[in-house]
Amino acid sequence: MPNRRLDAIDRRILAALQRDARLTNVQLAEEVNLSPSPCLRRVRQLEAAGLIRGYHAELDRGGVGFGLTVFVGIRVERHHEAQANAFREAVVALPEVVSAHLVSGESDFLLQVVVPDLAAYERFLTGTLLRLPGVTDIRSNFAIQTVKAHGPLPVERLAEAGGEVPVLRQP
């Protein structure tokens, strides 16, 4: 089957599922003004194309015991590709690291770390982060208050902004 562009209905489906991934297919179809069968077919196509990667529950970090969020900038040595790969693999394996980004600027990597408290972060810093391969510098920034977290992607604005709209691969 040929590829097709992500259209307004697909964008409305993505926006609705970002707001509430627990919508039933019937509820979703009503919200995007489709009948249930075509709506389900589109959702399956969005999943098959990799645009919907999964469905998750958003937890209250403090409520489940992770009261401290730390943004950690890390500089690493750039002498060996093997060492860089070892660093990446080590970071991915750390459950305290909820996101990790290769960045430009003062740091090479920016990690978002969640721990119960400052004492737990001190243990994580000295016992784990400082021992990662190739680490030369670590800068920690503590979140005082979360103003916005896990914001949805503004998919409905893609067409408005004149931006490139992804092509759906037909399964």
Side-chain angles (χ1 to χ4, degrees):
M1 284 190 194
N3 292 337
R4 69 177 177 80
R5 293 235 171 250
L6 191 63
D7 64 16
I9 293 173
D10 294 326
R11 291 191 301 273
R12 287 197 311 263
I13 288 170
L14 293 172
L17 289 174
Q18 283 186 105
R19 278 191 307 277
D20 185 359
R22 294 185 68 172
L23 289 172
T24 66
N25 184 56
V26 171
Q27 292 169 321
L28 179 60
E30 284 178 18
E31 187 167 330
V32 300
N33 202 22
L34 279 180
S35 60
S37 293
C39 183
L40 183 59
R41 185 169 44 254
R42 282 178 179 258
V43 169
R44 296 291 182 245
Q45 288 172 342
L46 292 165
E47 291 170 344
L51 297 177
I52 298 174
R53 293 185 177 176
Y55 301 88
H56 311 278
E58 185 177 334
L59 305 180
D60 178 311
R61 291 179 180 188
V64 297
F66 294 100
L68 185 62
T69 299
V70 187
F71 297 95
V72 183
I74 298 182
R75 293 195 107 173
V76 295
E77 296 177 78
R78 295 185 185 253
H79 297 113
H80 305 288
E81 184 64 27
Q83 191 172 38
N85 288 336
F87 175 83
R88 286 184 182 105
E89 289 173 14
V91 165
V92 168
L94 298 172
E96 296 88 351
V97 176
V98 295
S99 69
H101 308 272
L102 177 64
V103 296
S104 65
E106 290 183 18
S107 299
D108 298 314
F109 290 88
L110 184 61
L111 312 181
Q112 184 179 13
V113 173
V114 294
V115 289
D117 54 30
L118 189 55
Y121 180 66
E122 181 183 8
R123 289 190 300 275
F124 181 67
L125 174 65
T126 59
T128 303
L129 291 180
L130 288 171
R131 297 176 187 206
L132 291 176
V135 170
T136 61
D137 186 48
I138 295 179
R139 304 288 168 116
S140 304
N141 295 283
F142 299 92
I144 304 300
Q145 178 185 55
T146 299
V147 177
K148 181 177 182 178
H150 309 292
L153 297 175
V155 293
E156 291 178 313
R157 296 208 177 178
L158 284 173
E160 294 171 17
E164 185 62 28
V165 179
V167 174
L168 275 181
R169 296 177 299 280
Q170 298 293 326

